[in-house]
Amino acid sequence: MRLAHISDLHITDAPGTAGLTRPDAVTRARALMADLSAFPDLDLVVITGDTVNDARPEEYTVLADVLAGLTVPFLIVPGNHDDRALLRGCVPDRPYADPDLLFHAWQQDHVRVFALDSLSPGEVGGRLLPPQIDWLECQLARPFDGHTLVALHHPPCAAGMGRLDGPILIEGAGDLGDLLDTETLPATILCGHLHRPFTARFGHSMVWAATSTAFQFALDLGAPDEPPTVTEPFQYAVHLLDDAGGHVVHHRFPDL
Ligand SMILES: [Fe+2]
């Protein structure tokens, strides 16, 4: 199975006025959807939040149009820039496990993905509250012999990025780690939020963070202030997950 991971599209309907977001963010997002749609034999695209910049209805209208250009099945979770109800309205046809939050499960053959909702309204950091943790515990208890992935917006562990490491997953990270540590095959956590690509070990699991089409922070380890944005080649990860437990991650650098 082939799975691509992207994040932090920060779609705006007002190019040039949306904070750090590049004026060409929507154009780049459309080009990314075309690139993903042309990628051979891709089974799933995981989009880990901050789909829009300012959580306004007009932005979700643009987001829906951008996503219409993606011909590969996709999973989407909210980030701190999202509005839960508006995102649900934009992507209504999902087996959400809650009338409010957007967490749900996805499975194809030997791969299962738990899409989690770490949005905490009014906060930059994220939270996984006990009801969602309890749901995940029940899901993980089901007999399964394959790859387990979790998709959420906020990284569950620090990345050595100074100030940016403050508002990550500020509640529920320990519970998440404890649950995933019981998996026989190391679990994979897909996230975004820091607007830089990085990989980390988190207990028995591996964390893969995707960067953003809208803006990327400079690599400034331990910086006390928010780093400047930087223009670097955009990349996204493609995870190859075979039925013998093999897991290879490639990186594609599309010309957006
Ligand atoms: Fe973001």
Side-chain angles (χ1 to χ4, degrees), residues 153-240:
H153 180 66
H154 297 87
C157 59
M161 289 286 286
R163 179 178 169 183
L164 297 183
D165 282 337
I168 53 174
L169 187 62
I170 55 179
E171 183 174 355
D175 293 331
L176 176 64
D178 290 345
L179 287 177
L180 295 180
D181 278 352
T182 65
E183 290 293 293
T184 304
L185 199 60
T188 299
I189 299 172
L190 304 178
C191 59
H193 190 52
L194 260 59
H195 289 239
R196 281 210 65 85
F198 67 88
T199 310
R201 186 166 62 80
F202 178 61
H204 190 44
S205 307
M206 289 298 295
V207 175
W208 293 88
T211 188
S212 164
T213 45
F215 64 91
Q216 180 163 308
F217 285 120
L219 180 59
D220 191 357
L221 297 175
D225 301 315
E226 187 172 280
T229 59
V230 65
T231 301
E232 293 177 337
F234 173 80
Q235 63 156 340
Y236 65 82
V238 176
H239 294 249
L240 308 184

Side-chain angles (χ1 to χ4, degrees), residues 112-195:
R112 63 179 178 178
V113 184
F114 298 110
L116 301 185
D117 181 342
S118 59
L119 169 61
S120 179
E123 291 190 291
V124 177
R127 298 179 188 272
L128 294 177
L129 300 180
Q132 191 170 179
I133 292 291
D134 294 345
W135 172 83
L136 180 61
E137 184 174 14
C138 290
Q139 294 288 319
L140 291 172
R142 295 181 174 182
F144 178 73
D145 182 20
H147 298 270
T148 295
L149 292 87
V150 165
L152 79 169
H153 180 66
H154 297 87
C157 59
M161 289 286 286
R163 179 178 169 183
L164 297 183
D165 282 337
I168 53 174
L169 187 62
I170 55 179
E171 183 174 355
D175 293 331
L176 176 64
D178 290 345
L179 287 177
L180 295 180
D181 278 352
T182 65
E183 290 293 293
T184 304
L185 199 60
T188 299
I189 299 172
L190 304 178
C191 59
H193 190 52
L194 260 59
H195 289 239

Side-chain angles (χ1 to χ4, degrees), residues 60-82:
Y60 285 96
T61 300
V62 179
L63 174 66
D65 191 55
V66 169
L67 291 175
L70 179 60
T71 60
V72 181
F74 63 89
L75 284 183
I76 200 161
V77 298
N80 51 291
H81 279 257
D82 281 298

